[in-house]
Amino acid sequence: EDQVTQSPEALRLQEGESSSLNCSYTVSGLRGLFWYRQDPGKGPEFLFTLYSAGEEKEKERLKATLTKKESFLHITAPKPEDSATYLCAVQSVRNQGGKLIFGQGTELSVKP
Amino acid sequence: DTGVSQDPRHKITKRGQNVTFRCDPISEHNRLYWYRQTLGQGPEFLTYFQNEAQLEKSRLLSDRFSAERPKGSFSTLEIQRTEQGDSAMYLCASSSGTDHQPQHFGDGTRLSIL
C-alpha cells in the first residue's frame, strides 16, 4: 500500500535558524512527489514537483531534494512568514488519475 | 486566473441533514478532485473527474456521498443524512490533463455537524 510519513510533526525555529523537514514514502512506482504549503483555514498551495532520485528544486528560502525512499525540504534562514504546515504527497504510476497520497504534514513555527 | 473557487466556505448543519458543496475549477483544467481533511491530518482522496466522467472513487466515499460534474465544468459534492464523522474540511483541486501536473487547491468548505 502506498504510504507517506512526515517528520517531525511539529518544528519550532528561531528566525534565521536553518533546518530540514523529512518525507519518507513507500509507493509502487513513483510518478511524482509534491510539496505543498498550507496556512490555517486555507487550501494547500503548490510548491514543488520532483520526479526522480537526485532531482532538486529551489524557491526563495526553500530547497526540495529527492532520493529513492525520501524527500527533504530544506529551509534556509527562515522568516516568520514561513510559518505554515508543509505537506508532502506522492503519485503512483499504478494510478491513472493522478490522485495524491498525502503525509500528515509538518507544522513549522518560526519565531522572530 | 482566479484559481479554484469553493462555496460555501463554512457550513454548519444538524445531524441527519443533507448538504451540497460547489467547486469551480481553474477554467482550462479538465481534471477535478475532491479530498477530505481532518484536523492534524493530510488531505485524503475522495473522487476524481476527467471532464464530466467520474473515473475513480475512494472506499471512503460511502453511499451517502455523491459527486457530479455536469458538462465538465463546476462540480458538486452532496452528503446525505450527515453524521458526526462527516465533520471535516472538504477540498477541491484541479489540474490539466497529464498525471504529473500539479493539482491546485481551493480554500475548502469546512463542514461542522451539530
Side-chain angles (χ1 to χ4, degrees):
Chain A
E1 183 179 345
D2 301 335
Q3 193 169 359
V4 177
T5 303
Q6 292 187 245
S7 62
E9 290 187 4
L11 181 62
R12 292 187 176 187
L13 299 174
Q14 289 294 126
E15 185 172 2
E17 180 186 2
S18 301
S19 188
S20 295
L21 282 55
N22 177 264
C23 170
S24 296
Y25 64 90
T26 303
V27 65
S28 301
L30 181 70
R31 173 171 281 123
L33 185 141
F34 300 79
W35 281 98
Y36 286 85
R37 168 192 171 128
Q38 187 172 29
D39 292 301
K42 301 288 189 179
E45 175 188 351
F46 171 71
L47 294 174
F48 304 109
T49 309
L50 301 167
Y51 298 107
S52 58
E55 189 174 3
E56 299 181 351
K57 294 273 181 74
E58 286 189 65
K59 180 180 180 180
E60 296 180 354
R61 295 176 292 282
L62 301 177
K63 179 180 178 180
T65 62
L66 181 65
T67 72
K68 290 186 177 179
K69 293 184 177 181
E70 56 192 357
S71 178
F72 292 93
L73 185 65
H74 308 278
I75 304 176
T76 301
K79 298 182 178 182
E81 53 261 43
D82 295 322
S83 298
T85 295
Y86 290 85
L87 295 164
C88 170
V90 297
Q91 262 184 359
S92 168
V93 296
R94 291 185 308 153
N95 185 283
Q96 294 302 311
K99 73 179 182 184
L100 296 174
I101 308 297
F102 281 88
Q104 80 278 23
T106 293
E107 185 177 358
L108 174 65
S109 175
V110 182
K111 299 299 182 185
Chain B
D1 178 6
T2 58
V4 177
S5 177
Q6 292 190 246
D7 183 71
R9 290 296 316 280
H10 304 276
K11 179 71 176 178
I12 301 173
T13 192
K14 294 181 179 180
R15 184 167 52 92
Q17 297 295 305
N18 299 342
V19 294
T20 300
F21 312 140
R22 177 179 171 125
C23 171
D24 287 273
I26 294 171
S27 57
E28 63 268 24
H29 286 178
N30 58 1
R31 290 188 174 186
L32 187 148
Y33 304 81
W34 286 98
Y35 292 84
R36 180 170 66 188
Q37 186 177 28
T38 54
L39 198 62
Q41 301 298 315
E44 292 179 295
F45 171 79
L46 292 178
T47 189
Y48 143 70
F49 291 85
Q50 174 96 21
N51 299 312
E52 67 275 10
Q54 187 175 19
L55 298 183
E56 185 175 356
K57 292 193 292 186
S58 166
R59 64 182 184 277
L60 293 175
L61 213 65
S62 77
D63 291 344
R64 297 185 297 107
F65 288 70
S66 62
E68 295 183 341
R69 193 183 182 197
K71 302 179 182 179
S73 56
F74 72 92
S75 176
T76 59
L77 177 68
E78 181 183 15
I79 309 174
Q80 295 182 328
R81 305 181 302 282
T82 53
E83 301 174 354
Q84 289 285 347
D86 297 331
S87 294
M89 174 80 88
Y90 290 84
L91 292 163
C92 175
S94 69
S95 72
S96 61
T98 53
D99 287 339
H100 62 275
Q101 290 299 313
Q103 295 173 25
H104 296 275
F105 285 80
D107 284 336
T109 294
R110 178 160 297 283
L111 175 65
S112 299
I113 308 297
L114 299 178

